[in-house]
């Protein structure tokens, strides 16, 4: 047995190195420069929106997007309960009160019917809802055909957390473009990485300008240092943006590799009763992460059994995210819970999904899966 097969593996090489060196040698090592601006234009193009603001992380992008919507003390932000904590943390940073909402069983993404009921109840209670957040889990877009009319009817802006979904589409439209604002992450384990970084995207020039302003310490455009707002030091480094530009050139190829891996998993589990791939059958998904849902009563084994078997074979797995309404830090916050997210957490196993998985590691991984399924089948 050779090294451990990780859930995510960075996929960077000579192209990224050459872009980084070129930026370094250009003499502008500071935050935001020509590489940042070029990367913003390229991401805006890819997401099909007019404006993009490069920032230091996906979390910073979410924070700015929510501030631009007016989230703050005395307001509510609706947050999907099944997500990475950054989504909920960003709401709390603004001083808004997060209210959690449960998932659609097929994808784990926010359930549009629950959302509609919740927005009705919040309106009846005279709550000011600053934003609804939707997350494109594992790279599968939320159901925007239904979510957008719900938000529009309630007069509440939608913020799309597309951290995991760069390059995905929903009915042909690119991820990031569905809300008033969308956000991406370029953390090391995302579809493309700048090692650390993120972006806010929007069609609205005023919202983009607001995010840009807040990301640079809210410094007014005068020569002396003038500040009317509390700002943040959130700009994306010019050097890191150069790495992102190299990654973006390889995005389609990297997504293709993730898709092929997903197809191979899907084919294997299609023959195993009581299992399914979360979000399976979505042709627009970038397949950032593949999670298998296991019904132990039908399969005769549980997600934990598979996870432990793979761990013994040197393969890393983990469940989908522990829902926010179960997190000690968010105890006591309101939540609309049906049990779907709890079930996805308890019964899922996320499998290695990186675009740089070698053929040899893939063979080892699928041999370990075959071995488990033969023992249990
Ligand atoms: C990764 C991620 C974030 C945070 O991005 P960072 O760049 O790590 O700050 C936010 N939301 C979701 C859904 C994520 O997966």
């Amino acid at each position: 047995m050779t090294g451990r097969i990780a859930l995510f593996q960075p996929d960077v090489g000579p192209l990224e190195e050459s872009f980084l060196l070129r930026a370094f040698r250009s003499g502008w090592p500071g935050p935001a420069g020509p590489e940042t601006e070029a990367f913003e234009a390229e991401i805006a193009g890819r997401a099909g929106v007019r404006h993009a603001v490069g920032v230091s992380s996906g979390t910073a992008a979410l924070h700015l997007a929510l501030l631009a919507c007016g989230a703050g003390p005395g307001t509510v932000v609706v947050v999907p309960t099944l997500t990475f904590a950054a989504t909920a943390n960003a709401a709390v940073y603004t001083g808004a009160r997060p209210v959690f909402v449960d998932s659609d069983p097929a994808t784990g993404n926010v359930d549009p019917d629950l959302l509609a009921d919740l927005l009705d109840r919040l309106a009846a209670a005279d709550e000011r809802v600053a934003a609804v957040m939707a997350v494109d889990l594992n790279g599968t877009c939320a159901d925007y055909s239904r979510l957008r009319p719900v938000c529009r009817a309630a007069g509440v802006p939608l913020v799309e957390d597309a951290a995991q979904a760069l390059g995905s589409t929903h009915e042909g439209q690119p991820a990031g473009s569905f809300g008033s604002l969308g956000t991406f992450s370029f953390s090391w384990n995302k579809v493309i990485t700048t090692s650390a970084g993120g972006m806010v995207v929007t069609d609205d020039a005023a919202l983009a300008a607001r995010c840009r302003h807040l990301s640079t310490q809210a410094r007014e455009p005068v020569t002396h240092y003038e500040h009317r707002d509390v700002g943040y030091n959130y700009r994306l480094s010019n050097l890191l943006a150069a790495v992102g530009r190299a990654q973006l050139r390889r995005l389609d190829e990297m997504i293709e590799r993730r898709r092929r891996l997903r197809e191979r998993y899907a084919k294997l589990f299609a023959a195993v009763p009581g299992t399914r791939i979360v979000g399976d059958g979505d042709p627009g998904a970038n397949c950032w992460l593949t999670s298998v849902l296991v019904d132990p009563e039908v399969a005769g084994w549980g997600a934990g059994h598979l996870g432990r078997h793979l761990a013994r074979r040197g393969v890393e797995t983990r469940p989908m995210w522990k829902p926010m309404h179960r997190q000690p830090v968010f105890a006591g916050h309101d939540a609309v819970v049906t049990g779907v997210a709890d079930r996805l957490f308890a019964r899922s196993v996320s499998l290695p999904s990186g675009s740089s998985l070698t053929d040899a590691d893939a063979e080892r991984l699928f041999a370990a899966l075959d071995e488990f399924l033969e023992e249990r089948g």
Side-chain angles (χ1 to χ4, degrees):
M1 195 173 92
T2 45
R4 177 166 159 278
I5 299 176
L7 206 50
F8 305 104
Q9 289 160 319
D11 188 349
V12 291
L15 189 69
E16 288 76 10
E17 187 180 339
S18 71
F19 274 54
L20 178 61
L21 261 182
R22 191 188 62 190
F24 187 77
R25 287 172 178 158
S26 75
W28 183 249
E35 297 289 342
T36 309
E37 279 168 31
F39 188 40
E40 287 172 342
E42 289 166 5
I43 290 287
R46 185 71 202 211
V49 297
R50 280 199 280 277
H51 307 282
V53 182
V55 293
S56 51
S57 71
T59 310
L62 287 168
H63 186 191
L64 295 179
L66 291 176
L67 288 172
C69 291
T75 69
V76 165
V77 171
V78 178
V79 181
T81 193
L82 190 65
T83 184
F84 177 54
T87 318
N89 285 343
V92 173
Y93 297 164
T94 68
R97 181 166 73 84
V99 175
F100 299 113
V101 59
D102 216 316
S103 305
D104 170 3
T107 59
N109 290 330
V110 58
D111 180 323
D113 292 329
L114 292 182
L115 176 68
D117 290 347
L118 173 62
L119 290 176
D120 282 347
R121 281 201 285 113
L122 289 168
D126 236 4
E127 293 273 13
R128 207 152 68 77
V129 183
V132 166
M133 304 176 86
V135 183
D136 303 327
L137 282 181
N138 288 7
T140 294
C141 285
D143 188 354
Y144 293 107
S145 319
R146 292 169 65 210
L147 289 173
R148 290 215 290 187
V150 167
C151 291
R152 208 176 300 124
V156 175
L158 177 66
V159 171
E160 178 184 1
D161 180 351
Q164 305 172 0
L166 182 68
S168 297
T169 57
H170 171 75
E171 295 180 353
Q173 187 181 329
S177 67
F178 291 98
S180 300
L181 302 113
T183 64
F184 294 111
S185 164
F186 310 122
S187 185
W188 68 275
N189 65 357
K190 295 298 170 22
V191 174
I192 69 167
T193 184
T194 57
S195 92
M199 207 163 292
V200 186
V201 293
T202 178
D203 268 332
D204 185 315
L207 291 176
R210 182 76 187 147
C211 291
R212 197 175 293 273
H213 181 62
L214 291 174
S215 75
T216 50
Q217 305 284 22
R219 196 178 155 189
E220 295 296 326
V222 291
T223 47
H224 67 274
Y225 287 83
E226 177 86 7
H227 304 271
R228 293 181 192 162
D229 293 300
V230 173
Y232 303 87
N233 183 8
Y234 275 174
R235 277 298 261 164
L236 175 62
S237 138
N238 194 55
L239 298 183
L240 299 186
V243 176
R245 294 185 72 198
Q247 287 266 285
L248 196 52
R249 274 164 184 64
R250 298 178 47 228
L251 174 62
D252 289 323
E253 164 225 326
M254 293 196 291
I255 289 177
E256 194 45 45
R257 291 169 69 88
R258 286 182 197 262
R259 282 201 178 125
R260 280 207 296 273
L261 193 54
R262 165 82 61 98
E263 278 161 20
R264 196 164 166 190
Y265 285 130
K267 202 165 154 218
L268 180 68
F269 285 102
V272 182
T275 67
R276 71 177 173 82
I277 307 279
V278 177
D280 200 17
D282 172 12
N286 67 6
C287 302
W288 172 65
L289 182 63
T290 295
S291 306
V292 180
L293 187 67
V294 182
D295 180 344
E297 268 132 52
V298 179
W301 49 272
H305 295 120
L306 176 56
R308 285 189 293 276
H309 170 82
L310 291 176
R312 285 193 294 273
R313 298 289 177 271
V315 177
E316 183 191 15
T317 65
R318 69 171 74 138
M320 291 184 82
W321 295 269
K322 180 174 179 178
M324 293 302 108
H325 72 271
R326 295 284 175 202
Q327 298 289 355
V329 65
F330 299 123
H333 283 292
D334 286 346
V336 181
V337 176
T338 57
V340 170
D342 284 337
R343 206 151 47 241
L344 286 164
F345 171 57
R347 296 182 164 192
S348 63
V349 53
S350 297
L351 298 165
S353 301
S355 52
S356 63
L357 190 74
T358 64
D359 289 347
D361 279 351
E363 290 326 304
R364 239 177 80 210
L365 163 61
F366 279 89
L369 284 167
D370 285 340
E371 182 190 18
F372 177 83
L373 294 172
E374 270 161 34
E375 271 173 21
R376 299 275 174 165

